[in-house]
Amino acid sequence: MLRNFYELDNSFILNNYEINEVISTGHNYSVFLVIEKKSKKNFALRILKTDKTDEKMVYTILYNIKFNNISGILRIFHFERFLSMRPIPKILTESFENDDDDFKNPRYFLIIEEYMHGKDIDYLLQQYLRTKGTKNKFMNPTIRNKIIFGIAATMKSLHKLNLIHGNLNTSHIFLDDNLEPRISYCRLPKTTYDFESNCMPIQMISGENNSIQSDVYCYSILLYKLFSKSIKYESSFNGELLLKRPNNISDAFWQLIQLCMNKNLDERPTFAQITEWLKDDKYAIEEYGMKANLDELHEYQKRIDI
């Protein structure tokens, strides 16, 4: 049974955490830095807006993430559901004030997550590629290989629980204090993907619903963005729009991208297959005069792939 909150006094989260500043916002969520009043420790508070028709699905997802403790996912410590904005401080809901009609009967989930001190990998990768590996202590071939493998292993664990991420991209992936990837789980409760602009040609995925296979497709785009500062396309001989191969990507990774974006959903690999393939040292990155540390990479692969 879902527990509802109507007044501020009923909320453990709103009574035990002090709201500090906004960290990020999206179509149906905002994330704030908050401080636990008792311990004075930093946490992230995500307020997620969904529709009544999706609230049980969202609750199930949050429950599974909280109690299954998937190592590559940002930990969830508490979550609560509100039936309206009325008891929620206005600072938390301002980004939803002028919303569109996607939410006919809105519900609000307040979620306490781990707070990541660093930036998402989108910023770090862009800086790394722009400077060709110089002046960046947070990114190198070993870390990049860990990101690639860690995301695949984490998605493998999610799919074992029949959970779909639904919005897998570099802006939802962070590096923890050990410079290992952690995924923020903020699935958009919609029937179809909310594909980011300039992320992929819509005709390639027209009509594709949220599914395990669509997560794999987005992984292919994420891989592409690990090797390219921007998404680039070229036309084939029959006029079809295709991704243009980056100059600095290996044959192994380019072939993996092609497999993951196969138009035939049934022919896309699973993340269980992808993690096994990535254990092959042919995927070890060598670039800008640097090589991945294989001993460190192999230790990480054994630890994270459970």
Side-chain angles (χ1 to χ4, degrees), residues 23 31 42-45 69-77 111-117 176 182-183:
I23 299 173
V31 182
N42 291 337
F43 292 86
L45 168 61
N69 194 23
I70 302 170
S71 60
I73 294 286
L74 292 184
R75 287 189 62 191
I76 291 176
F77 297 100
I111 307 156
I112 294 294
E113 303 174 335
E114 285 182 276
Y115 172 64
M116 291 286 103
H117 299 276
D176 63 17
R182 305 290 290 278
I183 300 175

Side-chain angles (χ1 to χ4, degrees), residues 1 45 66 224 301:
M1 179 178 178
L45 168 61
K66 179 180 178 180
Y224 186 96
Q301 290 172 340

Side-chain angles (χ1 to χ4, degrees), residues 112 189 203 267:
I112 294 294
Q203 62 265 36
E267 293 183 8

Side-chain angles (χ1 to χ4, degrees), residues 26-205:
H27 174 71
N28 72 325
Y29 71 92
S30 293
V31 182
F32 294 81
L33 170 63
V34 296
I35 302 172
E36 188 180 30
K37 294 178 181 178
K38 185 176 181 180
S39 68
K40 304 301 181 182
K41 292 182 178 179
N42 291 337
F43 292 86
L45 168 61
R46 180 183 302 275
I47 177 168
L48 179 67
K49 184 176 183 179
T50 184
D51 196 85
K52 180 180 179 181
T53 56
D54 294 312
E55 61 184 329
K56 288 186 178 180
M57 175 200 70
V58 173
Y59 178 90
T60 300
I61 290 171
L62 295 175
Y63 181 91
N64 273 282
I65 291 175
K66 179 180 178 180
F67 291 103
N68 281 284
N69 194 23
I70 302 170
S71 60
I73 294 286
L74 292 184
R75 287 189 62 191
I76 291 176
F77 297 100
H78 305 285
F79 64 90
E80 300 171 346
R81 182 186 68 151
F82 288 80
L83 299 184
S84 74
M85 290 193 299
R86 184 170 57 83
I88 302 175
K90 187 175 181 181
I91 187 175
L92 296 178
T93 58
E94 285 178 336
S95 60
F96 303 137
E97 293 288 338
N98 299 313
D99 228 336
D100 51 29
D101 294 328
D102 284 349
F103 306 95
K104 301 296 183 182
N105 296 289
R107 298 289 188 264
Y108 301 86
F109 283 85
L110 269 60
I111 307 156
I112 294 294
E113 303 174 335
E114 285 182 276
Y115 172 64
M116 291 286 103
H117 299 276
K119 296 181 180 293
D120 60 66
I121 67 166
D122 190 56
Y123 172 85
L124 297 174
L125 286 169
Q126 290 297 316
Q127 183 186 56
Y128 179 83
L129 294 172
R130 186 173 62 252
T131 63
K132 296 184 178 180
T134 63
K135 302 177 182 179
N136 194 326
K137 63 180 180 180
F138 299 110
M139 196 64 61
N140 59 46
T142 306
I143 295 172
R144 282 158 63 74
N145 266 126
K146 286 183 178 181
I147 291 170
I148 291 167
F149 187 88
I151 294 169
T154 301
M155 294 304 300
K156 172 184 170 181
S157 296
L158 280 178
H159 287 179
K160 278 184 179 179
L161 297 170
N162 293 317
L163 297 178
I164 299 165
H165 190 281
N167 200 19
L168 187 63
N169 60 69
T170 52
S171 62
H172 295 152
I173 300 165
F174 300 82
L175 293 181
D176 63 17
D177 291 339
N178 297 317
L179 300 181
E180 295 175 356
R182 305 290 290 278
I183 300 175
S184 172
Y185 194 102
C186 55
R187 177 181 175 183
L188 298 178
K190 290 185 170 190
T191 304
T192 56
Y193 263 83
D194 183 42
F195 288 114
E196 296 183 59
S197 61
N198 85 341
C199 183
M200 59 193 72
I202 193 66
Q203 62 265 36
M204 294 178 71
I205 46 81

Side-chain angles (χ1 to χ4, degrees), residues 205-253:
I205 46 81
S206 179
E208 184 171 325
N209 293 332
N210 273 328
S211 66
I212 286 175
Q213 293 91 341
S214 53
D215 273 348
V216 172
Y217 189 102
C218 274
Y219 181 72
S220 72
I221 301 300
L222 189 150
L223 282 178
Y224 186 96
K225 293 176 74 173
L226 281 165
F227 293 95
S228 178
K229 295 190 292 292
S230 62
I231 303 292
K232 297 179 181 179
Y233 305 105
E234 60 185 3
S235 297
S236 66
F237 66 93
N238 61 358
E240 185 179 9
L241 195 62
L242 302 173
L243 284 177
K244 184 177 181 179
R245 177 173 176 168
N247 294 329
N248 60 327
I249 195 169
S250 68
D251 290 342
F253 277 120

